[in-house]
Amino acid sequence: MAQTNRRTSRRSIYLKLRQMVLTLELPPGAALSENELAASLGVSRTPVRESLILLAQDGLVQIFPKIGSFVSRVDPAQVADAQFLREAVELASLDALPPDPDHAVITELRDNLARQQRPGLDLEEFFELDEAFHQGLMRLSGHGNVWTTVAAAKGHLDRARRLGLHENVSPAVFADQHREIFDAVVGGDLASARTAMRTHLRAVFSDIERIRAHSPELFATGSTSVPVRRNVVVWE
């Protein structure tokens, strides 16, 4: 029982820290203190240390011996790989749509789109609706379970997308793109749905270039960079 509780604790701490990284609560490049994280989460250092190791395996944390642990900076190459995977899966899902899609899922998607337009919607609420919308489209094709695999592979992509959302005055432009995709799907215009989906998913690349122009410290460079200790730990 004790071993089961320990695994459960580690899993819950891992998921909490992962969410903090993905939502930018722990921003790219941030130094991570095991003591401070343990205190804030009300746990011992052991599950925090184990969780950081798991996050390092995910590519979301970097651990440098004798220097410390840091949130990985957003890697444009990993963003491109995840976007390639996501686009391939979602376009294939559109190709697999049945002639008469599930009306219950269509109703859910309409409700989702209406909530995306709700005044005062914060960015995390919109992000959750965005995820649910795309998963819903995959459910229409009978492949909703594949979304779990896609989601697990897109940590760097999700952070880049959130940075892009923070850069925009309003997420309304993305909600409009969702509406365009949905209208093409229910109208049976697969070609237009594919074109709109591809444009929508590739918007992250222009977001990256715009953000990197004024905040290059958030992004990994082509060369391997290692923080160094001076009076404080800094990135070179």
Side-chain angles (χ1 to χ4, degrees):
M1 181 65 70
Q3 185 67 21
T4 299
N5 290 339
R6 182 172 178 272
R7 285 197 298 268
T8 301
S9 174
R10 183 179 71 172
R11 179 67 178 172
S12 64
I13 297 304
Y14 160 75
L15 291 174
K16 174 61 177 176
L17 291 177
R18 191 176 196 275
Q19 186 67 5
M20 292 170 71
V21 170
L22 294 183
T23 60
L24 310 178
E25 183 177 347
L26 293 172
L32 300 171
S33 164
E34 290 181 8
N35 287 333
E36 291 177 4
L37 290 172
S40 67
L41 297 172
V43 297
S44 69
R45 288 178 56 189
T46 299
V48 170
R49 183 182 307 112
E50 293 172 341
S51 297
L52 292 180
I53 291 172
L54 292 176
L55 288 169
Q57 293 171 358
D58 292 343
L60 296 173
V61 164
Q62 290 176 285
I63 300 174
F64 299 97
K66 299 182 180 180
I67 297 176
S69 299
F70 300 80
V71 178
S72 297
R73 292 186 285 185
V74 177
D75 186 342
Q78 292 195 47
V79 171
D81 287 343
Q83 195 281 335
F84 176 82
L85 171 65
R86 181 177 182 181
E87 182 177 311
V89 169
E90 295 207 47
L91 292 183
S93 180
L94 291 177
D95 289 339
L97 285 171
D100 185 23
D102 188 321
H103 294 287
V105 179
I106 291 291
T107 298
E108 288 180 24
L109 288 171
R110 282 202 176 96
D111 178 66
N112 180 296
L113 289 170
R115 284 184 287 155
Q116 288 182 34
Q117 300 285 357
R118 194 169 66 235
L121 193 69
D122 70 36
L123 293 183
E124 277 307 309
E125 288 177 312
F126 179 81
F127 194 92
E128 290 177 10
L129 289 170
D130 179 294
E131 295 280 285
F133 174 78
H134 285 274
Q135 184 178 21
L137 287 178
M138 294 184 66
R139 286 169 57 207
L140 279 180
S141 70
H143 297 291
N145 291 336
V146 177
W147 185 257
T148 301
T149 301
V150 174
K154 62 188 184 74
H156 282 263
L157 174 60
D158 282 349
R159 290 193 296 161
R161 290 171 58 217
R162 281 185 170 94
L163 287 171
L165 282 173
H166 283 285
E167 283 280 300
N168 287 280
V169 176
S170 166
V173 62
F174 302 112
D176 290 342
Q177 291 172 356
H178 289 156
R179 171 63 68 178
E180 182 181 3
I181 295 166
F182 176 79
D183 287 346
V185 166
V186 297
D189 187 351
L190 178 59
S192 293
R194 287 177 59 86
T195 298
M197 177 69 80
R198 187 179 292 109
T199 299
H200 173 63
L201 294 180
R202 293 184 181 182
V204 69
F205 296 128
S206 57
D207 286 341
I208 286 176
E209 291 309 310
R210 186 175 65 255
I211 298 165
R212 187 157 51 177
H214 61 72
S215 299
E217 72 280 0
L218 298 175
F219 296 89
T221 59
S223 59
T224 302
S225 57
V226 179
V228 296
R229 284 197 177 277
R230 294 184 182 153
N231 292 329
V232 295
V233 177
V234 296
W235 287 93
E236 290 287 72

